C-alpha cells in the first residue's frame, strides 16, 4: 500500500513526542538510576553523564530490540484497529503525547515517576477511547496485561528492598564490623566482584540482549557463561585489583598511579614511601569537612561541617552547621535552663525567612558561576548584567535586551546541569525544615572508613555501567516501540502487524535523546533522589544497585514488566534501614514518591484517553 502522505502531520507530531518521551526517560529514569552512584561519590555527575551516554547508546544500538510490540505490553489487541493505519498512528501519537507531557511536568517539579508506567497508563486510556474498555486487557494476559504490570508497583520495591538489605548486611558483617575493616575489605573484594559480575552477566543475558537471543540458549549454556564471567572477573580482581588496592590503602603508597595496576602481584614487593602516613583516597563523605581526615580502621565520625562554597541554584547551605553525637543542635534539648532558651529565641528572631534563605543560596551559587571562564560564565554574566527593564516585553528597550538574553539562556539550558552540585542540593539548606530533616537522617547513619569505601567504589562503577547498558538495550523500547508502530503504519499504509520492525536509525536517535535528557535536565531528579532518601556511600550504593538488578531479573523470568526506577528506590530504602533505625530514612520523600507513582496511572491514562477521544471524534465538515 502507498505511504499515508495525508497523515504526514501525525507522523511529525508522533516523532516529536517520541523524542520528548526519550528525553524525559533520560532526565527522569536514567537520572534516578545514576543518582545512587553520584550520591555515593563513586562517580561525579560529569562522569555519570559520560558513562551513561556511552553505555545507554551502546546498549540501545548494538544489542537493542530490533522488533517492538505493536501494542505496548499487549494492552490493546492489534485486531481492535480493524486494519485502519491512520487510527493506529493517531492512537500511539496521543499515548506518547500524554505520557511525555506528564513526565515532563513531573521532572520540572522534581517528582520522580516511571516513564514505563506513564506510557502504559496512557496506552490504556487511549485504548478505552478508541475501542472501548471491554477490549483493553485489564487482567493478567500472560504477564502482559495491566493487572500484571501494576502488580509490580507494590511487589518490586519491597522485594528490591529485601535484596539490597541482604547484600549490604553481608558487607557490613564481613567488613564494616571487623576490628580491621580495611584489610577485610581488600582481601574479600574478589568475592564481591564475583557476586557483582554474576548479577551483571545475568542482567545482560536476560534484560540487556534482546537481539542476541542469549536468554533463549540452553540452561547449561547460560550457567556456563554466567559462572565463567563471574569467575573470570573474580580471578582478575585477585591478580590485579587486590595488589593495587593493598599498596594504595594498606601500604599507603601515594606514589601509585592507575597504570601500576597492570603490575599485578609484583606490587606486593613494591616498597612504600618512608613518609607514607595516610592513604590518598577520595573523600566519600556526603557532607564534606573543612579539614577532613580519612577515617581509618572502621572508626565512625560524628560531626561534619558544611563548606560555604558548596552551592546549588536552589539548595545551598547558607551557614555551616555541626552535628554533635549524632544530634541536630536545633533539636537538642536544653540542659542549662532558661538562659539557653532565651538565647535560642534571640537567635531565631535574627534568622532569615525560608524565602530569603533560598534566595541567598541561589544568588551565592549564581555568583560562583559568573566567575567561571567559558560559555557558561559568559551566559551567566550576560543574564546578570542585562535584566529586563520596566514595561511589557514588547517595549523597544526590552526587545533589545531579550535579543542578548536568548543566546545566554540557551547556553545556560545546555550547561547549567553540568555544574550543578548534587550533594549540596540533596543535603538541603540549613535553617529550613528540609535541611534539618536531612541533618537528622545523616546523623543516624554510621560513616565508614574512606579506605574501605574506596574498595567498593570500583564495584559500584561496574554495577552502574552494566545497569545503564541493560537499560539502553531493553527500556529503549518504551519510546521506540510506539514510534516504530507510527512509522511502520505511515510508511506502509497498513496497520502494523503484531511485531513492527525497528530501524537502527530510530534506536540511535532516541538513545541520543535519552543521553541529552540525562545531561541537560537529569540534575532536577538527582537532587531529590539518592542522599535525599538516606545516607549513601559506595558500599551502600553497590548493594542498592545489585539488589535492584536481582529484582528486575526475577520479574523478567516470570515475564512481569517492572520499573527499574522503583526497584532502585526500594533497594535504597532497604539499605537505609540497615542503619538500625527507621529515622535513617527520609519518609517524607518516600511518601511523595509513592504519591507520584500512584497518581501517574489515572493522570496519564486520563490525558491519553481525553486527547484520543477529542481528536478521534471531533466534528468536521463533510467532504
Amino acid at each position: 500500500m502507498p505511504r499515508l502522505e495525508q497523515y504526514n502531520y501525525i507522523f511529525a507530531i508522533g516523532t516529536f513526542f517520541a523524542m520528548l518521551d526519550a528525553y524525559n526517560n533520560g532526565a527522569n529514569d536514567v537520572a534516578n538510576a545514576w543518582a545512587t552512584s553520584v550520591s555515593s561519590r563513586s562517580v561525579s555527575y560529569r562522569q555519570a553523564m559520560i558513562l551513561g551516554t556511552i553505555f545507554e547508546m551502546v546498549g540501545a544500538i548494538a544489542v537493542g530490540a530490533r522488533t517492538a510490540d505493536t501494542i505496548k505490553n499487549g494492552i490493546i489487541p492489534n485486531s481492535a484497529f480493524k486494519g485502519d493505519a491512520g487510527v493506529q498512528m493517531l492512537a500511539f501519537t496521543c499515548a506518547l503525547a500524554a505520557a511525555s507531557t506528564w513526565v515532563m511536568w513531573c521532572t520540572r517539579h522534581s517528582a520522580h515517576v516511571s516513564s514505563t508506567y506513564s506510557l502504559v497508563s496512557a496506552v490504556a486510556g487511549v485504548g478505552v477511547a478508541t475501542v472501548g474498555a471491554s477490549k483493553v486487557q485489564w487482567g493478567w494476559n500472560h504477564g502482559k496485561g495491566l493487572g500484571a504490570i501494576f502488580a509490580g508497583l507494590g511487589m518490586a520495591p519491597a522485594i528490591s528492598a529485601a535484596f539490597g538489605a541482604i547484600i549490604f548486611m553481608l558487607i557490613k558483617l564481613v567488613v564494616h564490623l571487623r576490628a580491621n575493616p580495611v584489610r577485610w575489605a581488600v582481601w574479600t573484594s574478589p568475592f564481591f566482584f564475583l557476586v557483582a559480575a554474576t548479577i551483571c552477566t545475568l542482567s545482560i543475558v536476560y534484560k540487556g540482549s534482546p537481539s542476541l537471543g542469549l536468554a533463549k540458549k540452553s540452561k547449561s549454556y547460560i550457567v556456563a557463561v554466567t559462572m565463567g564471567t563471574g569467575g573470570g572477573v573474580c580471578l582478575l580482581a585477585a591478580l590485579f585489583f587486590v595488589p593495587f588496592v593493598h599498596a594504595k590503602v594498606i601500604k599507603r603508597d601515594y606514589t601509585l598511579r592507575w597504570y601500576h595496576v597492570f603490575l599485578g602481584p609484583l606490587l606486593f614487593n613494591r616498597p612504600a614511601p618512608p613518609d607514607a602516613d595516610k592513604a590518598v583516597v577520595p573523600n566519600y563523605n556526603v557532607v564534606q569537612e573543612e579539614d577532613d581526615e580519612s577515617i581509618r580502621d572502621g572508626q565512625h565520625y560524628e560531626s561534619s561541617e558544611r563548606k560555604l562554597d558548596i552551592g546549588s541554584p536552589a539548595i545551598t547551605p547558607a551557614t555551616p552547621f555541626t552535628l554533635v553525637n549524632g544530634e541536630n543542635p536545633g533539636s537538642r534539648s536544653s540542659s542549662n535552663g532558661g538562659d539557653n532558651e532565651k538565647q535560642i529565641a534571640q537567635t531565631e528572631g535574627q534568622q532569615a525567612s525560608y524565602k530569603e534563605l533560598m534566595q541567598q543560596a541561589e544568588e551565592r551559587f549564581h555568583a560562583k558561576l559568573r566567575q567561571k571562564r567559558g560559555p557558561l560564565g559568559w551566559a551567566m554574566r550576560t543574564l546578570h548584567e542585562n535584566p529586563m527593564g520596566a514595561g511589557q516585553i514588547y517595549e523597544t528597550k526590552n526587545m533589545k535586551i531579550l535579543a542578548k538574553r536568548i543566546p545566554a539562556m540557551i547556553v545556560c539550558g545546555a550547561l547549567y546541569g553540568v555544574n550543578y552540585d548534587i550533594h549540596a542540593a540533596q543535603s538541603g539548606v540549613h535553617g529550613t525544615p528540609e535541611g534539618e530533616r536531612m541533618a537528622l537522617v545523616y546523623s543516624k547513619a554510621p560513616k565508614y572508613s574512606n579506605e574501605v569505601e574506596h574498595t567498593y567504589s570500583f564495584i559500584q562503577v561496574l554495577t552502574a555501567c552494566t545497569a545503564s547498558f541493560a537499560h539502553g538495550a531493553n527500556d529503549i523500547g518504551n519510546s521506540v516501540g510506539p514510534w516504530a508502530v507510527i512509522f511502520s503504519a505511515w510508511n506502509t499504509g497498513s496497520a502494523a502487524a503484531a511485531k513492527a520492525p525497528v530501524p537502527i536509525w530510530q534506536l540511535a536517535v532516541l538513545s541520543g535523546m535519552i543521553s541529552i535528557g540525562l545531561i541537560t535536565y537529569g540534575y532536577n531528579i538527582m537532587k531529590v533522589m539518592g542522599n535525599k532518601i538516606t545516607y549513601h556511600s559506595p558500599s551502600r550504593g553497590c548493594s542498592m544497585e545489585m539488589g535492584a538488578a536481582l529484582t528486575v531479573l526475577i520479574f523478567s523470568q516470570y515475564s512481569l514488566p517492572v520499573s527499574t526506577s522503583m526497584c532502585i528506590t526500594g533497594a535504597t530504602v532497604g539499605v537505609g534501614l540497615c542503619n538500625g533505625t527507621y529515622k535513617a530514612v527520609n519518609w517524607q520523600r518516600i511518601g511523595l514518591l509513592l504519591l507520584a507513582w500512584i497518581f501517574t496511572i489515572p493522570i496519564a491514562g486520563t490525558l491519553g484517553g481525553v486527547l484520543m477521544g477529542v481528536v478521534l471524534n471531533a466534528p468536521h465538515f463533510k467532504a
Side-chain angles (χ1 to χ4, degrees):
M1 296 181 66
R3 177 178 293 179
L4 300 178
E5 295 185 357
Q6 69 272 30
Y7 295 139
N8 285 352
Y9 70 98
I10 296 180
F11 173 67
I13 295 173
T15 298
F16 169 79
F17 282 112
M19 294 175 68
L20 181 61
D21 190 70
Y23 178 89
N24 292 330
N25 197 331
N28 208 293
D29 278 14
V30 179
N32 178 42
W34 278 96
T36 304
S37 300
V38 174
S39 298
S40 302
R41 295 188 185 272
S42 293
V43 296
S44 67
Y45 184 29
R46 297 188 184 188
Q47 290 171 335
M49 292 176 182
I50 296 172
L51 293 174
T53 297
I54 293 173
F55 285 95
E56 288 283 339
M57 296 192 72
V58 170
I61 297 174
V63 298
R66 292 294 180 265
T67 60
D69 288 340
T70 299
I71 308 303
K72 177 63 180 171
N73 292 319
I75 297 173
I76 313 173
N78 193 53
S79 59
F81 291 104
K82 301 178 181 179
D84 194 322
V87 173
Q88 190 177 57
M89 288 178 62
L90 181 63
F92 284 99
T93 297
C94 290
L96 284 170
S100 58
T101 301
W102 167 244
V103 178
M104 174 60 78
W105 186 89
C106 291
T107 305
R108 171 64 181 84
H109 293 84
S110 299
H112 169 245
V113 293
S114 170
S115 60
T116 302
Y117 277 62
S118 299
L119 184 59
V120 165
S121 302
V123 170
V126 167
V128 172
T130 306
V131 298
S134 61
K135 296 293 183 67
V136 176
Q137 302 292 342
W138 300 104
W140 201 258
N141 192 27
H142 305 291
K144 295 183 178 181
L146 289 169
I149 294 169
F150 293 135
L153 180 63
M155 293 190 297
I159 295 175
S160 186
F163 280 131
I166 291 171
I167 295 173
F168 180 66
M169 286 305 298
L170 179 63
I171 295 175
K172 192 173 182 178
L173 293 174
V174 173
V175 177
H176 288 317
L177 299 183
R178 296 286 181 174
N180 193 342
V182 176
R183 290 186 176 275
W184 278 94
V186 172
W187 294 112
T188 61
S189 59
F191 168 76
F192 290 105
F193 268 105
L194 170 65
V195 174
T198 301
I199 294 174
C200 290
T201 303
L202 287 173
S203 183
I204 293 176
V205 169
Y206 288 111
K207 289 290 290 181
S209 59
S211 66
L212 298 180
L214 294 179
K216 298 179 181 179
K217 299 288 186 180
S218 65
K219 296 295 182 182
S220 58
Y221 178 87
I222 294 175
V223 170
V225 169
T226 302
M227 298 306 297
T229 303
V233 172
C234 176
L235 180 61
L236 290 175
L239 291 176
F240 297 99
F241 181 77
V242 170
F244 180 80
V245 177
H246 180 273
K248 189 167 187 177
V249 302
I250 295 180
K251 291 185 176 180
R252 299 170 180 174
D253 187 352
Y254 60 84
T255 65
L256 209 63
R257 297 296 179 265
W258 66 267
Y259 48 80
H260 288 141
V261 69
F262 298 108
L263 294 177
L266 296 177
L267 289 174
F268 286 123
N269 298 323
R270 178 186 174 94
D275 58 343
D277 59 343
K278 66 176 182 179
V280 180
V281 296
N283 181 5
Y284 294 101
N285 301 331
V286 172
V287 180
Q288 302 283 305
E289 297 183 45
E290 291 287 355
D291 297 312
D292 179 74
E293 291 292 332
S294 296
I295 307 154
R296 301 182 184 88
D297 301 330
Q299 298 299 316
H300 304 164
Y301 73 85
E302 299 177 32
S303 65
S304 59
E305 187 172 59
R306 304 290 295 273
K307 285 185 178 180
L308 287 178
D309 61 349
I310 294 178
S312 68
I315 304 181
T316 310
T319 56
F321 69 87
T322 304
L323 300 177
V324 182
N325 296 326
E327 296 182 358
N328 186 338
S331 62
R332 194 183 308 137
S333 60
S334 172
S335 59
N336 296 326
D339 292 340
N340 278 359
E341 294 179 0
K342 183 177 180 180
Q343 183 179 2
I344 292 173
Q346 291 175 347
T347 302
E348 290 178 349
Q350 298 172 354
Q351 287 181 344
S353 66
Y354 173 79
K355 185 176 181 180
E356 290 172 339
L357 286 173
M358 302 302 285
Q359 289 176 342
Q360 292 170 8
E362 182 176 353
E363 175 52 34
R364 182 162 48 254
F365 179 68
H366 288 176
K368 183 178 178 181
L369 293 182
R370 289 195 295 270
Q371 297 174 0
K372 286 182 171 291
R373 297 180 178 179
L376 183 60
W378 164 83
M380 293 299 297
R381 289 191 297 271
T382 300
L383 294 176
H384 179 72
E385 296 167 0
N386 295 275
M388 296 297 290
Q392 298 294 332
I393 191 174
Y394 52 74
E395 298 292 342
T396 304
K397 180 180 179 180
N398 282 341
M399 293 181 68
K400 292 180 179 179
I401 294 174
L402 189 62
K404 297 180 181 179
R405 290 176 63 88
I406 289 177
M409 292 168 65
I410 295 174
V411 172
C412 283
L415 301 179
Y416 193 75
V418 179
N419 294 271
Y420 201 86
D421 193 324
I422 300 296
H423 297 88
Q426 293 172 341
S427 302
V429 179
H430 175 60
T432 65
E434 184 73 5
E436 299 300 327
R437 181 164 47 251
M438 297 318 303
L440 177 62
V441 169
Y442 293 172
S443 70
K444 299 300 180 181
K447 317 305 185 295
Y448 301 109
S449 165
N450 276 324
E451 290 91 332
V452 172
E453 298 292 0
H454 184 61
T455 303
Y456 292 99
S457 67
F458 295 91
I459 300 175
Q460 187 172 10
V461 171
L462 173 64
T463 57
C465 290
T466 303
S468 191
F469 177 87
H471 180 275
N474 188 77
D475 289 10
I476 189 72
N478 290 343
S479 302
V480 81
W483 192 28
V485 174
I486 295 171
F487 173 74
S488 179
W490 171 77
N491 192 45
T492 63
S494 62
K499 294 287 184 179
V502 180
I504 193 170
W505 64 267
Q506 288 187 316
L507 292 171
V509 169
L510 293 194
S511 63
M513 291 303 299
I514 287 176
S515 300
I516 294 173
L518 171 65
I519 293 170
T520 60
Y521 216 44
Y523 71 91
N524 224 27
I525 292 299
M526 280 196 189
K527 73 181 184 182
V528 296
M529 301 303 294
N531 289 307
K532 187 67 75 175
I533 297 177
T534 189
Y535 191 92
H536 277 51
S537 65
S539 60
R540 293 176 169 97
C542 67
S543 303
M544 296 170 188
E545 291 172 357
M546 284 190 282
L550 274 174
T551 305
V552 173
L553 285 172
I554 291 176
F555 272 71
S556 67
Q557 291 308 293
Y558 292 95
S559 299
L560 297 176
V562 65
S563 170
T564 53
S565 301
M566 293 180 181
C567 291
I568 193 65
T569 302
T572 300
V573 174
V575 172
L577 291 175
C578 290
N579 292 308
T581 173
Y582 70 93
K583 294 182 179 180
V585 176
N586 182 2
W587 294 106
Q588 185 195 63
R589 176 55 51 185
I590 298 301
L592 293 174
L593 282 173
L594 290 174
L595 287 176
W597 292 347
I598 294 172
F599 285 156
T600 290
I601 299 172
I603 292 177
T606 301
L607 285 174
V610 169
L611 184 59
M612 183 65 182
V614 170
V615 176
L616 185 63
N617 301 296
H620 57 278
F621 292 106
K622 301 296 182 180

